Amino acid sequence: GFCLNRGFLTFFCMSNLADVLQEEGNKLFRAGDLEQAYKKYTCVLRCNPKLSKVWTNRALVSLKLKRPHQAAADCLICLELQPDWAKAYYRLAQAYAEMDGKEKAIQELQKGINAVKKQSEREDLEKLLQETKKLPTPPPLEDEALAKYSLWYCPPEISGLCSKRPLKRTVADANQFLSNRFGSTSNVEIKESKQHHGLGMYTTCDIEKGETVFQDEPYATVSFSPTVCLYCCRQFTAESMVVECPVCHYELYCSEECRELAFDSYHRYQCGSVAHGLAQYRKDCWDNNVPLEAGYTALMAMRIHGMYQEQVNKWRAAGELHGGEPLILPPLCYFQSLLNNSDTKIAVANRWQVPFENRWSQFNTIRRIVGLQPCGWFDFNWYDELWYLMTCNVIGGANNLGSSIMQLGTFLNHSCVPNVQPKVNLDDCQQRAHVLSFVAAKKLLKGEQLHICYARLGADLEERNGLLQGQFLFTCNCELCSLQRKVALLPKKAGPKKH
């Protein structure tokens, strides 16, 4: 009688699968099919994230696809696994040089020369070091605020170095999502927008002013504030009950319902040391007045990691094998105005872009808090994608202390004269967490596109467009903005003459 351990069988199967996938990735790379090779290497790393050479293989593919930030991240992970791997230093230096990070490239090459063991590898690194030193030094940034953050990196999506990434969502996927939520009773549908890039939400019937067009529940909501429920972001009052996690005491909720929902969806896995790290992160951000938009991606990533691990535990309890596939996000959009823009000056002028080093540091903070080892799906590239997605899919909470990834609200485009307005129904909070109702601001006709205002209602033209250009990289040309621009160009009437 001989019995194999189930865990050993799983490891054996995944290792063999990783070998097969790696060879397939190598063949695709040699054939020049870089996108498919990248996907295949990603599958390998999901099977076995400790294969250091595969990280550098994927980094090489990223370099050839003109995605140096992804290549740099993969090389840094590889060096954690194998600190003397010469190819990782070589490709990391190439990635930094592509991102105008000449000094960083030189530093990494010098580290590599001291770390690698083979003389031939040291000679290769020495040769690249001499070539790198001859590269022109990027001009210093004139803006002190930008220089403070060492903004030597503009991602290829802005600089036009790489091919345009595909839309994350399609009309068919979006309407299937609507059908799953509302069946045949939906007041809205998703179509290609004639006024905006990408998709838009349209009415399927007439809707009277004040009526609820649709309701949306966030995929997840996060906040730094100690005065709100960490599940639904409802603000505590003197009369409200505050419920804390009875085990770790680090999370506070507005009701037992929210506590149970949080525990069932993510907190069961994070309760304990991870919850302590999260609480410290939130406190540091709150005490130092860090703007929510500067840190919500890291907080959201840690929330999603908890949701994913909780789902994995449920799969395991049900006896289902799981190969490391990521938790699927709702059908979100990419930042199309960003992807279509090839002028790097826009990003610099608006201080919108966060450099690679800052995002890598943030990603490492996440790994430290959640105790994450090199992972095949929760890697920097996944975090980078989430960072882009959140830029155009987050809606602020009713009290401006929280931010949510919405599931349907993300399909609403902008107008300074919105025809729908978001409204939080706090009574529903007790039954279904944080429910957001989108209410008709005027009578809506069948086939009319729905808009919300991304800026502050009542703000003047300069404030509105300053926000839209700075955060969303577009200029609004709605009826109100067009009219106000025309009025601003009219000659001013002279005042009464003084006698």
Side-chain angles (χ1 to χ4, degrees), residues 373-408:
Q373 299 299 316
C375 175
W377 76 268
F378 198 99
D379 58 5
F380 177 81
N381 297 342
W382 185 90
Y383 177 67
D384 204 41
E385 180 179 86
L386 178 68
W387 191 85
Y388 279 109
L389 291 176
M390 286 197 66
T391 303
C392 57
N393 290 287
V394 163
I395 293 179
N399 47 26
N400 294 320
L401 293 174
S403 291
S404 304
I405 293 183
M406 306 305 296
Q407 303 188 70
L408 297 175

PDB file of all heavy atoms in Angstrom, residues 373-408:
ATOM      1  N   GLN A 373       4.846  36.520  -0.758  1.00  0.00           N
ATOM      2  CA  GLN A 373       6.049  36.064  -1.435  1.00  0.00           C
ATOM      3  C   GLN A 373       5.869  36.272  -2.936  1.00  0.00           C
ATOM      4  O   GLN A 373       4.760  36.570  -3.388  1.00  0.00           O
ATOM      5  CB  GLN A 373       6.301  34.582  -1.121  1.00  0.00           C
ATOM      6  CG  GLN A 373       6.506  34.291   0.348  1.00  0.00           C
ATOM      7  CD  GLN A 373       7.715  35.018   0.923  1.00  0.00           C
ATOM      8  OE1 GLN A 373       8.774  35.051   0.315  1.00  0.00           O
ATOM      9  NE2 GLN A 373       7.547  35.614   2.100  1.00  0.00           N
ATOM     10  N   PRO A 374       6.959  36.143  -3.750  1.00  0.00           N
ATOM     11  CA  PRO A 374       6.785  36.253  -5.208  1.00  0.00           C
ATOM     12  C   PRO A 374       5.620  35.396  -5.679  1.00  0.00           C
ATOM     13  O   PRO A 374       5.531  34.208  -5.376  1.00  0.00           O
ATOM     14  CB  PRO A 374       8.120  35.748  -5.748  1.00  0.00           C
ATOM     15  CG  PRO A 374       9.105  36.144  -4.698  1.00  0.00           C
ATOM     16  CD  PRO A 374       8.379  35.951  -3.390  1.00  0.00           C
ATOM     17  N   CYS A 375       4.712  36.014  -6.399  1.00  0.00           N
ATOM     18  CA  CYS A 375       3.420  35.404  -6.702  1.00  0.00           C
ATOM     19  C   CYS A 375       3.142  35.514  -8.191  1.00  0.00           C
ATOM     20  O   CYS A 375       3.497  36.500  -8.824  1.00  0.00           O
ATOM     21  CB  CYS A 375       2.337  36.114  -5.886  1.00  0.00           C
ATOM     22  SG  CYS A 375       0.656  35.578  -6.241  1.00  0.00           S
ATOM     23  N   GLY A 376       2.503  34.491  -8.742  1.00  0.00           N
ATOM     24  CA  GLY A 376       2.268  34.452 -10.172  1.00  0.00           C
ATOM     25  C   GLY A 376       1.165  35.339 -10.673  1.00  0.00           C
ATOM     26  O   GLY A 376       1.083  35.606 -11.868  1.00  0.00           O
ATOM     27  N   TRP A 377       0.285  35.797  -9.790  1.00  0.00           N
ATOM     28  CA  TRP A 377      -0.764  36.693 -10.291  1.00  0.00           C
ATOM     29  C   TRP A 377      -0.728  38.031  -9.578  1.00  0.00           C
ATOM     30  O   TRP A 377      -0.907  39.079 -10.188  1.00  0.00           O
ATOM     31  CB  TRP A 377      -2.147  36.061 -10.144  1.00  0.00           C
ATOM     32  CG  TRP A 377      -2.690  36.057  -8.749  1.00  0.00           C
ATOM     33  CD1 TRP A 377      -2.550  35.077  -7.826  1.00  0.00           C
ATOM     34  CD2 TRP A 377      -3.463  37.086  -8.117  1.00  0.00           C
ATOM     35  NE1 TRP A 377      -3.168  35.429  -6.648  1.00  0.00           N
ATOM     36  CE2 TRP A 377      -3.740  36.659  -6.803  1.00  0.00           C
ATOM     37  CE3 TRP A 377      -3.945  38.330  -8.528  1.00  0.00           C
ATOM     38  CZ2 TRP A 377      -4.464  37.429  -5.903  1.00  0.00           C
ATOM     39  CZ3 TRP A 377      -4.672  39.090  -7.621  1.00  0.00           C
ATOM     40  CH2 TRP A 377      -4.927  38.635  -6.342  1.00  0.00           C
ATOM     41  N   PHE A 378      -0.466  38.054  -8.280  1.00  0.00           N
ATOM     42  CA  PHE A 378      -0.434  39.327  -7.562  1.00  0.00           C
ATOM     43  C   PHE A 378       0.983  39.885  -7.675  1.00  0.00           C
ATOM     44  O   PHE A 378       1.712  39.989  -6.704  1.00  0.00           O
ATOM     45  CB  PHE A 378      -0.834  39.119  -6.101  1.00  0.00           C
ATOM     46  CG  PHE A 378      -1.245  40.387  -5.399  1.00  0.00           C
ATOM     47  CD1 PHE A 378      -2.580  40.697  -5.244  1.00  0.00           C
ATOM     48  CD2 PHE A 378      -0.307  41.280  -4.913  1.00  0.00           C
ATOM     49  CE1 PHE A 378      -2.971  41.866  -4.590  1.00  0.00           C
ATOM     50  CE2 PHE A 378      -0.679  42.442  -4.275  1.00  0.00           C
ATOM     51  CZ  PHE A 378      -2.020  42.736  -4.116  1.00  0.00           C
ATOM     52  N   ASP A 379       1.374  40.219  -8.895  1.00  0.00           N
ATOM     53  CA  ASP A 379       2.701  40.769  -9.133  1.00  0.00           C
ATOM     54  C   ASP A 379       2.575  42.249  -9.484  1.00  0.00           C
ATOM     55  O   ASP A 379       1.467  42.814  -9.507  1.00  0.00           O
ATOM     56  CB  ASP A 379       3.435  39.999 -10.230  1.00  0.00           C
ATOM     57  CG  ASP A 379       2.681  39.997 -11.558  1.00  0.00           C
ATOM     58  OD1 ASP A 379       1.641  40.677 -11.657  1.00  0.00           O
ATOM     59  OD2 ASP A 379       3.119  39.309 -12.489  1.00  0.00           O
ATOM     60  N   PHE A 380       3.691  42.879  -9.765  1.00  0.00           N
ATOM     61  CA  PHE A 380       3.657  44.320 -10.038  1.00  0.00           C
ATOM     62  C   PHE A 380       2.817  44.634 -11.268  1.00  0.00           C
ATOM     63  O   PHE A 380       2.124  45.656 -11.308  1.00  0.00           O
ATOM     64  CB  PHE A 380       5.075  44.860 -10.231  1.00  0.00           C
ATOM     65  CG  PHE A 380       5.103  46.318 -10.593  1.00  0.00           C
ATOM     66  CD1 PHE A 380       4.983  47.300  -9.615  1.00  0.00           C
ATOM     67  CD2 PHE A 380       5.223  46.711 -11.916  1.00  0.00           C
ATOM     68  CE1 PHE A 380       4.985  48.644  -9.951  1.00  0.00           C
ATOM     69  CE2 PHE A 380       5.225  48.059 -12.257  1.00  0.00           C
ATOM     70  CZ  PHE A 380       5.111  49.027 -11.271  1.00  0.00           C
ATOM     71  N   ASN A 381       2.853  43.778 -12.281  1.00  0.00           N
ATOM     72  CA  ASN A 381       2.099  44.057 -13.496  1.00  0.00           C
ATOM     73  C   ASN A 381       0.596  44.067 -13.221  1.00  0.00           C
ATOM     74  O   ASN A 381      -0.146  44.882 -13.780  1.00  0.00           O
ATOM     75  CB  ASN A 381       2.442  43.021 -14.570  1.00  0.00           C
ATOM     76  CG  ASN A 381       3.897  43.089 -14.976  1.00  0.00           C
ATOM     77  OD1 ASN A 381       4.571  44.083 -14.717  1.00  0.00           O
ATOM     78  ND2 ASN A 381       4.395  42.039 -15.590  1.00  0.00           N
ATOM     79  N   TRP A 382       0.149  43.141 -12.356  1.00  0.00           N
ATOM     80  CA  TRP A 382      -1.272  43.135 -11.979  1.00  0.00           C
ATOM     81  C   TRP A 382      -1.603  44.407 -11.202  1.00  0.00           C
ATOM     82  O   TRP A 382      -2.622  45.047 -11.436  1.00  0.00           O
ATOM     83  CB  TRP A 382      -1.572  41.891 -11.135  1.00  0.00           C
ATOM     84  CG  TRP A 382      -3.035  41.731 -10.802  1.00  0.00           C
ATOM     85  CD1 TRP A 382      -3.967  41.067 -11.534  1.00  0.00           C
ATOM     86  CD2 TRP A 382      -3.718  42.272  -9.674  1.00  0.00           C
ATOM     87  NE1 TRP A 382      -5.193  41.156 -10.921  1.00  0.00           N
ATOM     88  CE2 TRP A 382      -5.068  41.899  -9.777  1.00  0.00           C
ATOM     89  CE3 TRP A 382      -3.325  43.041  -8.584  1.00  0.00           C
ATOM     90  CZ2 TRP A 382      -6.026  42.247  -8.838  1.00  0.00           C
ATOM     91  CZ3 TRP A 382      -4.280  43.395  -7.641  1.00  0.00           C
ATOM     92  CH2 TRP A 382      -5.606  43.003  -7.769  1.00  0.00           C
ATOM     93  N   TYR A 383      -0.707  44.786 -10.283  1.00  0.00           N
ATOM     94  CA  TYR A 383      -0.927  45.998  -9.495  1.00  0.00           C
ATOM     95  C   TYR A 383      -0.912  47.234 -10.390  1.00  0.00           C
ATOM     96  O   TYR A 383      -1.712  48.157 -10.220  1.00  0.00           O
ATOM     97  CB  TYR A 383       0.156  46.125  -8.418  1.00  0.00           C
ATOM     98  CG  TYR A 383       0.053  47.397  -7.600  1.00  0.00           C
ATOM     99  CD1 TYR A 383      -1.020  47.590  -6.745  1.00  0.00           C
ATOM    100  CD2 TYR A 383       1.012  48.402  -7.706  1.00  0.00           C
ATOM    101  CE1 TYR A 383      -1.134  48.748  -6.001  1.00  0.00           C
ATOM    102  CE2 TYR A 383       0.897  49.565  -6.976  1.00  0.00           C
ATOM    103  CZ  TYR A 383      -0.173  49.734  -6.123  1.00  0.00           C
ATOM    104  OH  TYR A 383      -0.284  50.886  -5.405  1.00  0.00           O
ATOM    105  N   ASP A 384      -0.011  47.245 -11.384  1.00  0.00           N
ATOM    106  CA  ASP A 384       0.073  48.352 -12.320  1.00  0.00           C
ATOM    107  C   ASP A 384      -1.237  48.494 -13.097  1.00  0.00           C
ATOM    108  O   ASP A 384      -1.737  49.594 -13.311  1.00  0.00           O
ATOM    109  CB  ASP A 384       1.238  48.097 -13.281  1.00  0.00           C
ATOM    110  CG  ASP A 384       1.781  49.371 -13.899  1.00  0.00           C
ATOM    111  OD1 ASP A 384       1.895  50.372 -13.167  1.00  0.00           O
ATOM    112  OD2 ASP A 384       2.084  49.370 -15.100  1.00  0.00           O
ATOM    113  N   GLU A 385      -1.796  47.362 -13.509  1.00  0.00           N
ATOM    114  CA  GLU A 385      -3.071  47.390 -14.227  1.00  0.00           C
ATOM    115  C   GLU A 385      -4.181  47.919 -13.326  1.00  0.00           C
ATOM    116  O   GLU A 385      -5.001  48.739 -13.743  1.00  0.00           O
ATOM    117  CB  GLU A 385      -3.422  45.996 -14.739  1.00  0.00           C
ATOM    118  CG  GLU A 385      -4.744  45.955 -15.498  1.00  0.00           C
ATOM    119  CD  GLU A 385      -5.060  44.563 -16.009  1.00  0.00           C
ATOM    120  OE1 GLU A 385      -5.653  43.766 -15.250  1.00  0.00           O
ATOM    121  OE2 GLU A 385      -4.714  44.264 -17.161  1.00  0.00           O
ATOM    122  N   LEU A 386      -4.202  47.447 -12.083  1.00  0.00           N
ATOM    123  CA  LEU A 386      -5.213  47.933 -11.141  1.00  0.00           C
ATOM    124  C   LEU A 386      -5.080  49.433 -10.943  1.00  0.00           C
ATOM    125  O   LEU A 386      -6.072  50.160 -10.857  1.00  0.00           O
ATOM    126  CB  LEU A 386      -5.063  47.208  -9.794  1.00  0.00           C
ATOM    127  CG  LEU A 386      -6.031  47.662  -8.688  1.00  0.00           C
ATOM    128  CD1 LEU A 386      -7.461  47.277  -9.031  1.00  0.00           C
ATOM    129  CD2 LEU A 386      -5.634  47.062  -7.347  1.00  0.00           C
ATOM    130  N   TRP A 387      -3.828  49.932 -10.893  1.00  0.00           N
ATOM    131  CA  TRP A 387      -3.581  51.368 -10.711  1.00  0.00           C
ATOM    132  C   TRP A 387      -4.215  52.165 -11.840  1.00  0.00           C
ATOM    133  O   TRP A 387      -4.861  53.191 -11.622  1.00  0.00           O
ATOM    134  CB  TRP A 387      -2.065  51.591 -10.652  1.00  0.00           C
ATOM    135  CG  TRP A 387      -1.643  52.940 -10.215  1.00  0.00           C
ATOM    136  CD1 TRP A 387      -1.482  53.378  -8.942  1.00  0.00           C
ATOM    137  CD2 TRP A 387      -1.307  54.041 -11.057  1.00  0.00           C
ATOM    138  NE1 TRP A 387      -1.069  54.685  -8.932  1.00  0.00           N
ATOM    139  CE2 TRP A 387      -0.956  55.119 -10.225  1.00  0.00           C
ATOM    140  CE3 TRP A 387      -1.275  54.225 -12.438  1.00  0.00           C
ATOM    141  CZ2 TRP A 387      -0.574  56.353 -10.729  1.00  0.00           C
ATOM    142  CZ3 TRP A 387      -0.897  55.449 -12.933  1.00  0.00           C
ATOM    143  CH2 TRP A 387      -0.555  56.493 -12.078  1.00  0.00           C
ATOM    144  N   TYR A 388      -4.035  51.684 -13.079  1.00  0.00           N
ATOM    145  CA  TYR A 388      -4.640  52.369 -14.227  1.00  0.00           C
ATOM    146  C   TYR A 388      -6.164  52.274 -14.190  1.00  0.00           C
ATOM    147  O   TYR A 388      -6.878  53.234 -14.465  1.00  0.00           O
ATOM    148  CB  TYR A 388      -4.118  51.781 -15.533  1.00  0.00           C
ATOM    149  CG  TYR A 388      -2.774  52.323 -15.936  1.00  0.00           C
ATOM    150  CD1 TYR A 388      -1.635  51.535 -15.866  1.00  0.00           C
ATOM    151  CD2 TYR A 388      -2.635  53.637 -16.366  1.00  0.00           C
ATOM    152  CE1 TYR A 388      -0.398  52.031 -16.219  1.00  0.00           C
ATOM    153  CE2 TYR A 388      -1.403  54.137 -16.723  1.00  0.00           C
ATOM    154  CZ  TYR A 388      -0.278  53.335 -16.652  1.00  0.00           C
ATOM    155  OH  TYR A 388       0.943  53.837 -16.991  1.00  0.00           O
ATOM    156  N   LEU A 389      -6.675  51.077 -13.856  1.00  0.00           N
ATOM    157  CA  LEU A 389      -8.116  50.888 -13.828  1.00  0.00           C
ATOM    158  C   LEU A 389      -8.784  51.798 -12.804  1.00  0.00           C
ATOM    159  O   LEU A 389      -9.829  52.394 -13.058  1.00  0.00           O
ATOM    160  CB  LEU A 389      -8.447  49.427 -13.516  1.00  0.00           C
ATOM    161  CG  LEU A 389      -8.106  48.400 -14.589  1.00  0.00           C
ATOM    162  CD1 LEU A 389      -8.393  46.997 -14.086  1.00  0.00           C
ATOM    163  CD2 LEU A 389      -8.876  48.659 -15.863  1.00  0.00           C
ATOM    164  N   MET A 390      -8.160  51.917 -11.629  1.00  0.00           N
ATOM    165  CA  MET A 390      -8.773  52.716 -10.569  1.00  0.00           C
ATOM    166  C   MET A 390      -8.789  54.194 -10.913  1.00  0.00           C
ATOM    167  O   MET A 390      -9.657  54.937 -10.463  1.00  0.00           O
ATOM    168  CB  MET A 390      -8.036  52.488  -9.248  1.00  0.00           C
ATOM    169  CG  MET A 390      -8.327  51.138  -8.631  1.00  0.00           C
ATOM    170  SD  MET A 390      -7.860  51.059  -6.900  1.00  0.00           S
ATOM    171  CE  MET A 390      -9.000  52.216  -6.174  1.00  0.00           C
ATOM    172  N   THR A 391      -7.847  54.627 -11.742  1.00  0.00           N
ATOM    173  CA  THR A 391      -7.788  56.035 -12.103  1.00  0.00           C
ATOM    174  C   THR A 391      -9.082  56.491 -12.753  1.00  0.00           C
ATOM    175  O   THR A 391      -9.504  57.631 -12.584  1.00  0.00           O
ATOM    176  CB  THR A 391      -6.598  56.279 -13.051  1.00  0.00           C
ATOM    177  OG1 THR A 391      -5.408  55.828 -12.403  1.00  0.00           O
ATOM    178  CG2 THR A 391      -6.454  57.748 -13.378  1.00  0.00           C
ATOM    179  N   CYS A 392      -9.725  55.620 -13.500  1.00  0.00           N
ATOM    180  CA  CYS A 392     -10.940  56.057 -14.204  1.00  0.00           C
ATOM    181  C   CYS A 392     -12.184  55.283 -13.799  1.00  0.00           C
ATOM    182  O   CYS A 392     -13.228  55.435 -14.424  1.00  0.00           O
ATOM    183  CB  CYS A 392     -10.735  55.946 -15.710  1.00  0.00           C
ATOM    184  SG  CYS A 392     -10.289  54.300 -16.258  1.00  0.00           S
ATOM    185  N   ASN A 393     -12.114  54.468 -12.756  1.00  0.00           N
ATOM    186  CA  ASN A 393     -13.282  53.691 -12.350  1.00  0.00           C
ATOM    187  C   ASN A 393     -13.697  53.910 -10.903  1.00  0.00           C
ATOM    188  O   ASN A 393     -14.625  53.267 -10.431  1.00  0.00           O
ATOM    189  CB  ASN A 393     -13.015  52.193 -12.561  1.00  0.00           C
ATOM    190  CG  ASN A 393     -12.951  51.830 -14.021  1.00  0.00           C
ATOM    191  OD1 ASN A 393     -13.963  51.796 -14.698  1.00  0.00           O
ATOM    192  ND2 ASN A 393     -11.752  51.595 -14.521  1.00  0.00           N
ATOM    193  N   VAL A 394     -13.026  54.819 -10.210  1.00  0.00           N
ATOM    194  CA  VAL A 394     -13.335  55.046  -8.799  1.00  0.00           C
ATOM    195  C   VAL A 394     -14.331  56.185  -8.658  1.00  0.00           C
ATOM    196  O   VAL A 394     -14.240  57.201  -9.337  1.00  0.00           O
ATOM    197  CB  VAL A 394     -12.046  55.363  -8.016  1.00  0.00           C
ATOM    198  CG1 VAL A 394     -12.352  55.993  -6.677  1.00  0.00           C
ATOM    199  CG2 VAL A 394     -11.264  54.083  -7.797  1.00  0.00           C
ATOM    200  N   ILE A 395     -15.296  56.008  -7.769  1.00  0.00           N
ATOM    201  CA  ILE A 395     -16.266  57.050  -7.421  1.00  0.00           C
ATOM    202  C   ILE A 395     -16.132  57.316  -5.929  1.00  0.00           C
ATOM    203  O   ILE A 395     -16.085  56.379  -5.123  1.00  0.00           O
ATOM    204  CB  ILE A 395     -17.705  56.627  -7.761  1.00  0.00           C
ATOM    205  CG1 ILE A 395     -17.875  56.518  -9.281  1.00  0.00           C
ATOM    206  CG2 ILE A 395     -18.715  57.617  -7.189  1.00  0.00           C
ATOM    207  CD1 ILE A 395     -19.258  56.090  -9.717  1.00  0.00           C
ATOM    208  N   GLY A 396     -16.046  58.589  -5.561  1.00  0.00           N
ATOM    209  CA  GLY A 396     -15.916  58.957  -4.159  1.00  0.00           C
ATOM    210  C   GLY A 396     -17.197  58.706  -3.401  1.00  0.00           C
ATOM    211  O   GLY A 396     -18.290  58.746  -3.958  1.00  0.00           O
ATOM    212  N   GLY A 397     -17.048  58.437  -2.109  1.00  0.00           N
ATOM    213  CA  GLY A 397     -18.212  58.201  -1.257  1.00  0.00           C
ATOM    214  C   GLY A 397     -18.990  59.475  -0.993  1.00  0.00           C
ATOM    215  O   GLY A 397     -18.568  60.585  -1.319  1.00  0.00           O
ATOM    216  N   ALA A 398     -20.161  59.333  -0.365  1.00  0.00           N
ATOM    217  CA  ALA A 398     -21.027  60.481  -0.123  1.00  0.00           C
ATOM    218  C   ALA A 398     -20.361  61.497   0.797  1.00  0.00           C
ATOM    219  O   ALA A 398     -20.600  62.693   0.710  1.00  0.00           O
ATOM    220  CB  ALA A 398     -22.349  60.012   0.486  1.00  0.00           C
ATOM    221  N   ASN A 399     -19.496  61.037   1.704  1.00  0.00           N
ATOM    222  CA  ASN A 399     -18.847  61.941   2.650  1.00  0.00           C
ATOM    223  C   ASN A 399     -17.432  62.306   2.220  1.00  0.00           C
ATOM    224  O   ASN A 399     -16.697  62.939   2.969  1.00  0.00           O
ATOM    225  CB  ASN A 399     -18.802  61.291   4.036  1.00  0.00           C
ATOM    226  CG  ASN A 399     -18.304  59.850   3.963  1.00  0.00           C
ATOM    227  OD1 ASN A 399     -17.571  59.483   3.049  1.00  0.00           O
ATOM    228  ND2 ASN A 399     -18.717  59.042   4.928  1.00  0.00           N
ATOM    229  N   ASN A 400     -17.043  61.896   0.982  1.00  0.00           N
ATOM    230  CA  ASN A 400     -15.709  62.171   0.429  1.00  0.00           C
ATOM    231  C   ASN A 400     -14.576  61.598   1.289  1.00  0.00           C
ATOM    232  O   ASN A 400     -13.446  62.053   1.199  1.00  0.00           O
ATOM    233  CB  ASN A 400     -15.501  63.682   0.242  1.00  0.00           C
ATOM    234  CG  ASN A 400     -16.419  64.260  -0.801  1.00  0.00           C
ATOM    235  OD1 ASN A 400     -16.651  63.639  -1.828  1.00  0.00           O
ATOM    236  ND2 ASN A 400     -16.960  65.426  -0.534  1.00  0.00           N
ATOM    237  N   LEU A 401     -14.899  60.624   2.137  1.00  0.00           N
ATOM    238  CA  LEU A 401     -13.882  59.988   2.962  1.00  0.00           C
ATOM    239  C   LEU A 401     -13.544  58.590   2.467  1.00  0.00           C
ATOM    240  O   LEU A 401     -12.670  57.936   3.014  1.00  0.00           O
ATOM    241  CB  LEU A 401     -14.356  59.913   4.421  1.00  0.00           C
ATOM    242  CG  LEU A 401     -14.497  61.249   5.147  1.00  0.00           C
ATOM    243  CD1 LEU A 401     -15.114  61.038   6.524  1.00  0.00           C
ATOM    244  CD2 LEU A 401     -13.159  61.948   5.274  1.00  0.00           C
ATOM    245  N   GLY A 402     -14.245  58.127   1.453  1.00  0.00           N
ATOM    246  CA  GLY A 402     -14.013  56.797   0.928  1.00  0.00           C
ATOM    247  C   GLY A 402     -14.064  56.786  -0.584  1.00  0.00           C
ATOM    248  O   GLY A 402     -14.568  57.718  -1.209  1.00  0.00           O
ATOM    249  N   SER A 403     -13.519  55.731  -1.171  1.00  0.00           N
ATOM    250  CA  SER A 403     -13.549  55.553  -2.622  1.00  0.00           C
ATOM    251  C   SER A 403     -13.953  54.128  -2.940  1.00  0.00           C
ATOM    252  O   SER A 403     -13.539  53.189  -2.255  1.00  0.00           O
ATOM    253  CB  SER A 403     -12.181  55.855  -3.230  1.00  0.00           C
ATOM    254  OG  SER A 403     -11.890  57.236  -3.141  1.00  0.00           O
ATOM    255  N   SER A 404     -14.751  53.987  -3.985  1.00  0.00           N
ATOM    256  CA  SER A 404     -15.298  52.677  -4.343  1.00  0.00           C
ATOM    257  C   SER A 404     -15.016  52.367  -5.803  1.00  0.00           C
ATOM    258  O   SER A 404     -15.038  53.255  -6.654  1.00  0.00           O
ATOM    259  CB  SER A 404     -16.823  52.648  -4.135  1.00  0.00           C
ATOM    260  OG  SER A 404     -17.166  52.993  -2.810  1.00  0.00           O
ATOM    261  N   ILE A 405     -14.739  51.091  -6.078  1.00  0.00           N
ATOM    262  CA  ILE A 405     -14.794  50.611  -7.460  1.00  0.00           C
ATOM    263  C   ILE A 405     -16.239  50.207  -7.707  1.00  0.00           C
ATOM    264  O   ILE A 405     -16.745  49.262  -7.111  1.00  0.00           O
ATOM    265  CB  ILE A 405     -13.882  49.390  -7.681  1.00  0.00           C
ATOM    266  CG1 ILE A 405     -12.415  49.779  -7.534  1.00  0.00           C
ATOM    267  CG2 ILE A 405     -14.107  48.815  -9.080  1.00  0.00           C
ATOM    268  CD1 ILE A 405     -11.453  48.644  -7.821  1.00  0.00           C
ATOM    269  N   MET A 406     -16.906  50.963  -8.577  1.00  0.00           N
ATOM    270  CA  MET A 406     -18.295  50.662  -8.879  1.00  0.00           C
ATOM    271  C   MET A 406     -18.380  49.621  -9.989  1.00  0.00           C
ATOM    272  O   MET A 406     -17.453  49.449 -10.776  1.00  0.00           O
ATOM    273  CB  MET A 406     -19.038  51.936  -9.305  1.00  0.00           C
ATOM    274  CG  MET A 406     -18.929  53.089  -8.318  1.00  0.00           C
ATOM    275  SD  MET A 406     -19.460  52.665  -6.628  1.00  0.00           S
ATOM    276  CE  MET A 406     -21.196  52.317  -6.882  1.00  0.00           C
ATOM    277  N   GLN A 407     -19.509  48.933 -10.048  1.00  0.00           N
ATOM    278  CA  GLN A 407     -19.684  47.892 -11.059  1.00  0.00           C
ATOM    279  C   GLN A 407     -20.405  48.419 -12.294  1.00  0.00           C
ATOM    280  O   GLN A 407     -20.033  48.094 -13.425  1.00  0.00           O
ATOM    281  CB  GLN A 407     -20.445  46.714 -10.460  1.00  0.00           C
ATOM    282  CG  GLN A 407     -19.726  46.154  -9.224  1.00  0.00           C
ATOM    283  CD  GLN A 407     -20.334  44.871  -8.729  1.00  0.00           C
ATOM    284  OE1 GLN A 407     -20.232  43.834  -9.377  1.00  0.00           O
ATOM    285  NE2 GLN A 407     -20.958  44.922  -7.575  1.00  0.00           N
ATOM    286  N   LEU A 408     -21.430  49.261 -12.104  1.00  0.00           N
ATOM    287  CA  LEU A 408     -22.152  49.834 -13.235  1.00  0.00           C
ATOM    288  C   LEU A 408     -21.857  51.324 -13.410  1.00  0.00           C
ATOM    289  O   LEU A 408     -21.846  51.831 -14.525  1.00  0.00           O
ATOM    290  CB  LEU A 408     -23.671  49.646 -13.044  1.00  0.00           C
ATOM    291  CG  LEU A 408     -24.159  48.201 -13.008  1.00  0.00           C
ATOM    292  CD1 LEU A 408     -25.653  48.160 -12.700  1.00  0.00           C
ATOM    293  CD2 LEU A 408     -23.877  47.510 -14.321  1.00  0.00           C
TER     294      LEU A 408
END
